[in-house]
Amino acid sequence: MASTADIRNGVVLNLDGQLWSVVEFQHVKPGKGGAFVRTKLKNVVTGKTNDKTFNAGSKVEIENVDRRDFTYLYNDGDSFVFMDTADYDQLTVSDTVVGDAKNFMLENQAVTIALHNGNPLYVEMPASVILEITYTEPGLQGDRSSAGTKPATVETGYEIQVPLFLETGTKVKVDTRTGDYLGRVN
């Protein structure tokens, strides 16, 4: 058991049997009354956020979560196979744990996987990835970058919105958190 003084950003707490990651924390010492710690927590499994306040000095259970670098190898039906870059062990992760990251993962993609007691909790992608457009409607003469957007399918099969002037075969940078188009890559 640890006290509220050990709460930092990124620390994982075990509250009522669920794992919560600390997104923000603030130690508050008002003029009247006792000090307390105000936190913003994110559920590690579901991604739901919650605000919680702890009295200063109260005990909290901090869980040991191991974040390790992996390389995505291949999709095996409803699971994904990753290789640990340190010891080359393979790890099979279910579709539900991978979540939206599957929309942006190509073979040999470097990812970070958070493990708790050997069980994968979530897959963390880089902030952006470079993907090739495999299909989009052809642009018309006079289309400009500020004119609007059109749907485009990237090589993972995911559909994003891109400017009208982009064509099939163009490499684009995509934000992995939102799925937004960030720019063209030469």
Side-chain angles (χ1 to χ4, degrees):
M1 286 296 235
S3 74
T4 54
D6 299 318
I7 293 177
R8 301 280 180 264
N9 287 348
V11 168
V12 177
L13 306 175
N14 186 343
L15 302 174
D16 302 324
Q18 292 189 339
L19 298 178
W20 297 83
S21 177
V22 177
V23 178
E24 295 174 14
F25 75 99
Q26 181 181 19
H27 289 277
V28 180
K29 184 162 184 355
K32 258 185 183 174
F36 57 91
V37 179
R38 187 179 294 134
T39 61
K40 183 175 185 179
L41 305 172
K42 180 179 179 185
N43 190 310
V44 172
V45 179
T46 64
K48 185 180 112 180
T49 57
N50 198 359
D51 294 328
K52 186 157 177 69
T53 303
F54 300 95
N55 290 330
S58 63
K59 300 293 180 197
V60 291
E61 192 174 340
I62 294 180
E63 289 292 332
N64 185 20
V65 173
D66 187 20
R67 288 180 177 86
R68 296 204 310 229
D69 293 330
F70 283 81
T71 302
Y72 169 58
L73 296 178
Y74 59 91
N75 181 353
D76 185 22
D78 59 348
S79 59
F80 295 81
V81 179
F82 296 88
M83 180 184 66
D84 193 333
T85 56
D87 57 12
Y88 304 111
D89 283 345
Q90 289 189 2
L91 176 70
T92 302
V93 180
S94 71
D95 187 28
T96 55
V97 173
V98 172
D100 290 339
K102 68 178 171 251
N103 297 329
F104 309 105
M105 283 192 318
L106 292 174
E107 290 181 1
N108 299 320
Q109 172 78 48
V111 297
T112 302
I113 298 180
L115 301 167
H116 175 62
N117 296 335
N119 297 325
L121 296 174
Y122 58 89
V123 175
E124 207 171 274
M125 294 285 296
S128 64
V129 292
I130 295 172
L131 299 171
E132 186 176 329
I133 296 175
T134 55
Y135 177 76
T136 187
E137 295 292 330
L140 301 171
Q141 182 64 30
D143 286 342
R144 299 288 174 257
S145 60
S146 60
T149 60
K150 63 181 177 180
T153 305
V154 291
E155 55 192 310
T156 60
Y158 188 65
E159 193 173 275
I160 62 171
Q161 294 292 319
V162 298
L164 294 170
F165 64 86
L166 289 181
E167 298 172 359
T168 301
T170 306
K171 289 193 179 286
V172 293
K173 192 178 219 179
V174 181
D175 188 329
T176 58
R177 297 166 300 224
T178 60
D180 291 342
Y181 163 83
L182 295 176
R184 197 167 29 169
V185 178
N186 295 337

